Amino acid sequence: MRLDDVLPRWQFGEHHDIAFSGSVAAVERVTWREVPLFRALLFAGSLGRTRMPADRPFLTQLTAGGFTVLSRTPDALVVGAVVRVGDQTGPVPLGDDPAATFRAVDEPGHYKVAFDFRVQDGVLRTETRVLATDEDTRRRFRRYWRLIRIPSGLIRTEWLRAARRRSA
């Protein structure tokens, strides 16, 4: 299963790539120590209350915080989350068949975010896609996207470079 299977249409997105000669498994092994920019942003954003264990895999923390691996193959990894907005904000549990649940969510007041890492023809690529389930949520997310798009891109680029170093 690929990102196109999980989230074929989207309203917000970005992609980054880097020359690479390894396996997508390197992405999963990247630790917080190897993504210092994100670690610093998280620390600053939490006013010093959040510190990540330097040797813990970055992806492990993401999946503990509401993201779920939707698909894993030797050359691709797809991760996603469904987030409820409004009075009961937070990630939606995706259950025993997370990819099917992810695809099925369409009720208003949610946004779906999915990203992948895939290796093909000597390139490691990551793409992020976001789909809001209604116009009000899309407007709200657009404001958030304006704030986080640049830091998000920097984090993704840092993650790609760390994976490449691991594969060297």
Side-chain angles (χ1 to χ4, degrees):
M1 183 175 307
R2 304 283 184 176
L3 187 58
D4 285 337
D5 300 321
V6 174
L7 199 58
R9 63 182 187 85
W10 63 97
Q11 297 141 338
F12 306 93
E14 67 175 340
H15 68 275
H16 306 275
D17 52 48
I18 193 168
F20 187 76
S21 61
S23 149
V24 79
V27 168
E28 295 186 70
R29 292 191 306 265
V30 169
T31 65
W32 281 97
R33 181 182 316 281
E34 297 166 285
V35 288
L37 173 65
F38 189 41
R39 200 170 70 231
L41 288 171
L42 186 64
F43 184 78
S46 70
L47 302 174
R49 292 184 305 254
T50 302
R51 294 176 190 259
M52 293 300 154
D55 293 323
R56 186 172 188 188
F58 182 57
L59 185 63
T60 300
Q61 187 68 35
L62 286 179
T63 55
F67 281 90
T68 301
V69 173
L70 301 174
S71 176
R72 181 185 278 118
T73 66
D75 64 340
L77 174 70
V78 181
V79 179
V82 175
V83 179
R84 182 178 25 253
V85 297
D87 294 340
Q88 298 178 7
T89 300
V92 174
L94 297 179
D96 293 335
D97 190 351
T101 303
F102 182 92
R103 287 191 307 267
V105 171
D106 65 355
E107 59 266 10
H110 294 78
Y111 66 86
K112 301 194 275 190
V113 58
F115 62 91
D116 73 345
F117 290 92
R118 61 189 176 278
V119 177
Q120 185 176 10
D121 301 327
V123 173
L124 174 60
R125 179 181 176 105
T126 183
E127 183 175 358
T128 302
R129 297 177 181 177
V130 181
L131 176 71
T133 56
D134 62 275
E135 187 59 33
D136 184 53
T137 304
R138 187 169 74 106
R139 277 192 304 275
R140 293 168 83 179
F141 189 84
R142 182 182 295 125
R143 289 189 295 268
Y144 178 67
W145 185 249
R146 286 182 184 141
L147 290 173
I148 64 136
R149 185 165 188 244
I150 290 173
S152 173
L154 293 171
I155 291 162
R156 297 282 195 263
T157 300
E158 187 176 52
W159 199 348
L160 292 174
R161 289 179 180 154
R164 182 169 63 187
R165 284 191 304 272
R166 281 189 160 274
S167 292

